[in-house]
Amino acid sequence: MNIAVLGTGMVGQAIAGRLHELGHTVVIGTRDPEATLARTEPVGMGNPPFSAWRAAHEGVAVATFADAAVGAELVVNASSGAAALDVLGLAGADNLAGKVLVDIANPLDFSNGFPPTLSVKDTDSLGEQIQRAFPETKVVKTLNTLTASLMVDPKSLGESSTIFVSGDDAQAKATVVSLLESFGHDDVIDLGPLETARGTEMLLPVWLRLMGTLGTGTFNFKIVR
């Protein structure tokens, strides 16, 4: 497929790199491609700049959010939760209409430091906010409950673990599940309509505290049944 990945952080890099490795045509979207590629200083948590990743993935194109989305068959929202609606607005409602949007973002609020709280919870979710803002787009929430490296290489844990999908369009979910299986996920639970994303987004406070206790983000949930 032709796939747009919106966001150049660790999640965007992991998803774009893996999709390209699997043979998809991938464009990674950013606000200002020239400025993004020109940065040479380390980014959050001392990670290498995007330009270093791009040098190792020359087959992945870089474009504005709108230019990335317009030619895509499927779009991945790999932006931060706080920026997601703005990023998708820049991608353009017309460019997203009728397409599957894989939403990986979480509504994390860092305004009071770490650990973050959730900017929306209980009666709403970021996934639902995105769906309301872009009603002609088929939003599927998934991959927001594990770290970037495990999103694209779950078997590196050495055993099967669980991920979830939420969405209102059955065919869109089937398309996304197929992609997840191509990444190596073999235990995908369809929770039902998009409102069930409230539950997976609210797993993040537990996930963050587990990361603090374990000293690593390389773990995942497993639903035993």
Side-chain angles (χ1 to χ4, degrees):
M1 286 191 290
N2 293 326
I3 300 178
V5 177
L6 307 182
T8 58
M10 298 305 294
V11 172
Q13 292 174 27
I15 296 292
R18 181 66 171 134
L19 288 170
H20 182 258
E21 183 181 85
L22 290 169
H24 300 282
T25 299
V26 183
V27 181
I28 194 163
T30 184
R31 291 176 188 269
D32 185 336
E34 186 174 328
T36 298
L37 291 168
R39 295 187 189 107
T40 58
E41 68 278 6
V43 292
M45 300 177 68
N47 291 311
F50 176 75
S51 56
W53 179 89
R54 178 66 170 76
H57 298 83
E58 293 183 351
V60 176
V62 183
T64 64
F65 293 128
D67 287 343
V70 68
E73 301 167 75
L74 178 143
V75 179
V76 179
N77 173 36
S79 65
S80 68
L85 288 169
D86 182 37
V87 165
L88 293 169
L90 292 171
D94 289 345
N95 295 332
L96 299 174
K99 297 176 182 179
V100 177
L101 174 66
V102 183
D103 176 34
I104 302 176
N106 282 303
L108 300 179
D109 179 356
F110 290 91
S111 61
N112 292 313
F114 194 92
T117 56
L118 297 178
S119 62
V120 57
K121 60 185 177 67
D122 297 322
T123 60
D124 201 2
S125 65
L126 178 60
E128 291 170 275
Q129 290 182 338
I130 291 170
Q131 185 65 86
R132 288 196 299 272
F134 301 92
E136 295 183 42
T137 303
K138 303 168 186 177
V139 179
V140 178
K141 190 84 181 192
T142 192
L143 290 179
N144 64 304
T145 56
L146 70 173
T147 198
S149 62
L150 295 180
M151 292 178 188
V152 298
D153 186 17
K155 296 190 182 301
S156 63
L157 277 178
E159 59 181 278
S160 178
S161 60
T162 306
I163 57 169
F164 311 96
V165 295
S166 301
D168 295 332
D169 187 286
Q171 187 56 53
K173 285 193 288 188
T175 298
V176 173
V177 169
S178 179
L179 272 182
L180 296 173
E181 290 173 345
S182 74
F183 288 171
H185 293 284
D186 57 11
D187 186 18
V188 182
I189 297 179
D190 183 347
L191 294 176
L194 191 56
E195 68 176 21
T196 62
R198 301 172 190 178
T200 56
E201 290 180 4
M202 287 192 289
L203 275 177
L204 263 293
V206 177
W207 189 95
L208 288 162
R209 283 155 179 79
L210 278 168
M211 181 181 69
T213 298
L214 299 173
T216 178
T218 309
F219 64 89
N220 193 21
F221 299 103
K222 173 64 180 178
I223 306 304
V224 179
R225 71 267 198 202

